[in-house]
Amino acid sequence: MTQARRPRGRPPLSSREKVEAVAIELFLEHGYSGTSLATIIEACGVSKTTFFRYFASKSEIIWYAFDTHTRHLRRLLAEADSSEPAMTVVRTCVVDALRASIDERGIWMKRFIILDSSPELRPEGSTQWTSWADAVSEYVAGRLGVSERGLVPASIGGAVQAAYLATLRGWQTSSKPASGLLLELEADLAPLCDVLQGWLDRQGPHR
C-alpha cells in the first residue's frame, strides 16, 4: 500500500501556534488591554485548561518570545570567536539573533508592534529591553575585563539597543520580506559599531 504523501508547503501550525496567532491578531485589532483572556479562549475554540497548558498568562503570549530571543542573543555572544573585534561580534550576533526570531507569518513583528504601542506593557517592556541591552553590555565588559555597569559597556549596550529599536520601528509598516530587515539592521549597525570599536580600542589591550 502506497503511503499518502503530505502536500508540500508551509507545515501545519501547532495548537500553541494557533492560539498565539489568534491572540496576536486580537491584540492588534482591539488593543492588548481591550482583549480579555476569555475573548482569546473563545476565539481560539479551546478550553481554559488547554490555554494554560500553552501559556501561563495573557502577557506570556507577548513576553515568552522576547525572553527566548534575549537568551539566544546571550548564547550567540558567549559562543562567538573572541579573536574578532568585539563590536563585529556584537553586530553579527544581534543580526543573527533577529534572524532566528523572525518568521514568515510576521508574528514576531506584530508582537513587537503590540508591545511598542501598548502603554500597559511598557513597565515590563522596560525591564525586558534592559535585559537585552545588558546582554551586550556584559559581553563588552567581559572583553574589557571590567564591570558591565561601567561607563563604556553600559553606554555601548544602550547605544546598540537604541539603534536596534529605531530600525525595528522603521519597519513596522513595511511589506518587504524579512531578509530586507536583516540587511537594513546590519547596515544601520555597521557605522555605529565602527565608532564604538574605536572607543573600545582606546580602552586598552582587551577588545
Side-chain angles (χ1 to χ4, degrees):
M1 181 177 178
T2 303
Q3 185 176 5
R5 292 184 178 180
R6 177 177 295 176
R8 293 183 178 181
R10 184 181 301 174
L13 299 180
S14 68
S15 297
R16 178 188 171 98
E17 288 174 324
K18 289 179 181 177
V19 171
E20 175 190 41
V22 169
I24 292 294
E25 293 301 330
L26 288 171
F27 292 154
L28 287 173
E29 183 177 355
H30 304 292
Y32 178 81
S33 62
T35 304
S36 68
L37 182 57
T39 299
I40 296 170
I41 291 171
E42 181 180 359
C44 293
V46 299
S47 68
K48 194 171 184 179
T49 300
T50 298
F51 176 88
F52 284 116
R53 190 179 301 135
Y54 301 140
F55 300 101
S57 63
K58 183 177 83 168
S59 64
E60 190 181 356
I61 299 171
I62 298 295
W63 297 122
Y64 88 91
F66 200 122
D67 291 337
T68 300
H69 174 79
T70 302
R71 285 196 302 270
H72 185 54
L73 174 60
R74 288 181 181 276
R75 186 163 58 251
L76 289 174
L77 289 167
E79 296 172 353
D81 183 356
S82 60
S83 67
E84 291 286 332
M87 295 312 302
T88 297
V89 171
V90 168
R91 184 182 75 247
T92 300
C93 290
V94 166
V95 174
D96 285 349
L98 181 58
R99 180 179 290 108
S101 293
I102 56 179
D103 60 289
E104 62 181 81
R105 294 180 294 139
I107 296 295
W108 197 90
M109 181 55 76
K110 290 177 181 178
R111 183 186 285 107
F112 173 75
I113 292 170
I114 292 163
L115 71 89
D116 200 47
S117 61
S118 303
E120 59 272 30
L121 292 173
R122 284 174 189 160
E124 189 171 357
S126 178
T127 300
Q128 294 282 353
W129 282 115
T130 296
S131 177
W132 192 98
D134 284 348
V136 175
S137 299
E138 289 163 13
Y139 173 76
V140 172
R143 292 290 296 265
L144 289 174
V146 300
S147 168
E148 67 271 13
R149 299 302 176 190
L151 172 64
V152 176
S155 298
I156 289 177
V160 173
Q161 182 209 76
Y164 182 77
L165 276 170
T167 301
L168 291 183
R169 284 170 177 152
W171 269 75
Q172 286 187 8
T173 58
S174 175
S175 59
K176 298 178 183 179
S179 57
L181 169 58
L182 296 172
L183 290 172
E184 184 166 320
L185 176 60
E186 186 153 19
D188 289 346
L189 288 176
L192 172 66
C193 288
D194 286 346
V195 171
L196 294 175
Q197 185 61 49
W199 192 23
L200 284 178
D201 290 343
R202 293 191 291 274
Q203 302 306 308
H206 300 286
R207 293 179 293 170

